[in-house]
Amino acid sequence: MITARPTVPASRRPPSPVAGRVRGGAARSARSLRYAAPALTGYLAVRLLGLLVLARWAHLKGHGVWPTLATSWDSDWYLGIADHGYQDELGTRMDSNNLAFFPLYPVLVKAVAGVTPGSRASVGLVLAAGFSLVAAWGVFAVGDRLCGRRVATVLTVLWGALPVAVVQWMGYTESLFTALAAWALYAVLTGRWHTAAALAVLAGLTRPTGIAVAAAVSVTGLLAAARTRGRAPLAAALTAPLGWLAYVAWVGARVGRWDGYFAVQRLWRNEWDGGAGTLRELRNLLVYDRNPQLFLVAVSAVLVLSAAAYVVCLADRQPPVLLVFSGVLLLVVLGSDGVYFPRARFLVPAFPLLLPLATAVCRARRVVAALVLGGAALTSAWLGGYMLLVWPGPP
């Protein structure tokens, strides 16, 4: 005989395990966000200063801020992919094959624009700005994990005050990629291997330099698996490169040749030569050119200082996951014989290189720290306007 169970009032029912985990995760995220609030506020202040300078400069030159940020240069390529998809052949025209651009950002733009009002250009700009805050939060989380809240706050502000940080609020992929990279690195530092692998796969679908995130997760995963014989780090190590590899393989299949992606990159004048091209450009600009263009001098300074910062990071014995990420990113950017002017932008995600500077600023006297942070913010604001409104090429 089957008897009916007595009905338990909803108010007395124990919460379901899934609902409890969701509420617990939301509460932890809220606490983490409140903890990071000073850093995010500082980041917003720096970027808003840059936006105000850009708006005033654009007004004086008779330009609009919105089209400058949302629809210029690479933004047009991503919007074109969101509108029409990828082309299906290699072709021979230089600088014209959209298969060079990875798919995650245009897919997100198309998906969000399909359920929200406004143009895809506006959606792309809003997504970039939103992801910049997620990225700043991730930068803070990594810094706090390693060096404490104060250093992490300065690190986040410095990331927002990079010389070419204006691209963080453009319709570009730098903010999305940095968000994925920062949280993947944090996941490794906290032993969340499945999360790290998933974020590495997404980073590999965002930019060519996604290979740096994949390498960081794979190398540290293999080291952890060898040390602990754990399955999770080994699975993460094997999974992390799949996003990057999948897109490269898809491009090869689409154009009908195994090296199709690399052939596309050659059409954009991008080949890896071990750094000979970078050294040649640096020599020409800094030694032989009597009147070098200001923006190219700034790019050169970023490259030289980034390489020097990596040496300091090695001396500081940063965790292997950070060293592998920054090292591979530098290897890709400095080792390419491609176009020179966007190299500083390609290094925007390399925030671990700023950790030694953030630590030094925190140890300095308040006046010195204020001068460094204020000078960085003002320089970033001015150079952002110069890069978008005076420099004639792409950022």
Side-chain angles (χ1 to χ4, degrees):
M1 177 176 161
I2 300 175
T3 57
R5 293 182 179 178
T7 302
V8 179
S11 59
R12 294 187 178 181
R13 294 174 191 166
S16 71
V18 174
R21 286 195 295 269
V22 170
R23 284 196 292 269
R28 285 192 297 273
S29 296
R31 288 195 299 269
S32 175
L33 187 57
R34 286 195 297 269
Y35 182 71
L40 298 181
T41 301
Y43 170 78
L44 276 173
V46 170
R47 294 308 331 133
L48 286 173
L49 172 64
L51 182 61
L52 289 174
V53 170
L54 178 64
R56 178 59 180 168
W57 202 332
H59 175 74
L60 293 175
K61 293 181 70 70
H63 295 294
V65 174
W66 180 90
T68 300
L69 295 175
T71 62
S72 59
W73 303 110
D74 285 8
S75 302
D76 274 340
W77 286 100
Y78 289 117
L79 293 174
I81 294 169
D83 285 336
H84 310 295
Y86 286 102
Q87 60 193 74
D88 56 5
E89 58 183 15
L90 182 61
T92 57
R93 289 182 58 196
M94 302 298 291
D95 306 327
S96 64
N97 195 311
N98 66 4
L99 289 166
F101 298 88
F102 278 52
L104 184 59
Y105 178 67
V107 166
L108 289 175
V109 170
K110 184 174 183 177
V112 175
V115 295
T116 58
S119 67
R120 286 178 177 170
S122 298
V123 168
L125 191 57
V126 170
L127 283 176
F131 282 124
S132 77
L133 293 175
V134 179
W137 189 7
V139 169
F140 172 83
V142 172
D144 179 59
R145 178 79 182 181
L146 297 176
C147 304
R149 189 183 192 187
R150 188 181 177 198
V151 172
T153 299
V154 173
L155 176 67
T156 307
V157 173
L158 287 173
W159 183 71
L162 287 171
V164 293
V166 67
V167 300
Q168 295 168 8
W169 283 11
M170 292 180 67
Y172 276 52
T173 59
E174 271 67 27
S175 291
L176 171 60
F177 180 72
T178 306
L180 294 169
W183 285 108
L185 299 179
Y186 180 77
V188 171
L189 292 172
T190 55
R192 296 175 171 89
W193 291 104
H194 297 307
T195 301
L199 292 172
V201 169
L202 292 175
L205 293 170
T206 304
R207 291 191 60 79
T209 47
I211 193 65
V213 184
V217 175
S218 293
V219 170
T220 52
L222 290 173
L223 292 174
R227 186 175 63 253
T228 66
R229 298 187 182 277
R231 294 183 179 180
L234 179 60
L238 298 176
T239 304
L242 294 183
W244 190 88
L245 291 173
Y247 183 69
V248 170
W250 180 81
V251 172
R254 192 168 180 85
V255 302
R257 49 187 291 182
W258 70 270
D259 65 339
Y261 172 75
F262 303 100
V264 169
Q265 287 296 331
R266 286 192 290 272
L267 290 177
W268 285 88
R269 301 176 177 86
N270 287 324
E271 290 188 82
W272 200 83
D273 69 347
T278 301
L279 291 174
R280 185 168 56 250
E281 290 285 352
L282 284 171
R283 182 190 61 190
N284 291 339
L285 278 167
L286 303 181
V287 178
Y288 296 117
D289 194 339
R290 295 184 178 181
N291 189 28
Q293 293 178 296
L294 175 62
F295 179 64
L296 295 181
V297 172
V299 170
S300 301
V302 169
L303 299 185
V304 172
L305 291 174
S306 295
Y310 187 70
V311 174
V312 178
C313 292
L314 287 171
D316 285 347
R317 297 184 179 180
Q318 283 187 1
V321 67
L322 300 190
L323 292 175
V324 174
F325 169 68
S326 300
V328 174
L329 193 58
L330 281 169
L331 196 64
V332 172
V333 174
L334 299 182
S336 172
D337 188 26
V339 289
Y340 187 74
F341 49 80
R343 305 288 184 89
R345 173 168 64 85
F346 294 163
L347 289 176
V348 165
F351 69 91
L353 298 178
L354 297 171
L355 262 173
L357 178 58
T359 303
V361 169
C362 287
R363 291 174 179 170
R365 291 187 300 174
R366 290 187 178 181
V367 173
V368 175
L371 287 174
V372 171
L373 294 176
L378 290 171
T379 301
S380 177
W382 183 85
L383 190 59
Y386 181 91
M387 180 174 68
L388 295 181
L389 300 171
V390 179
W391 165 251

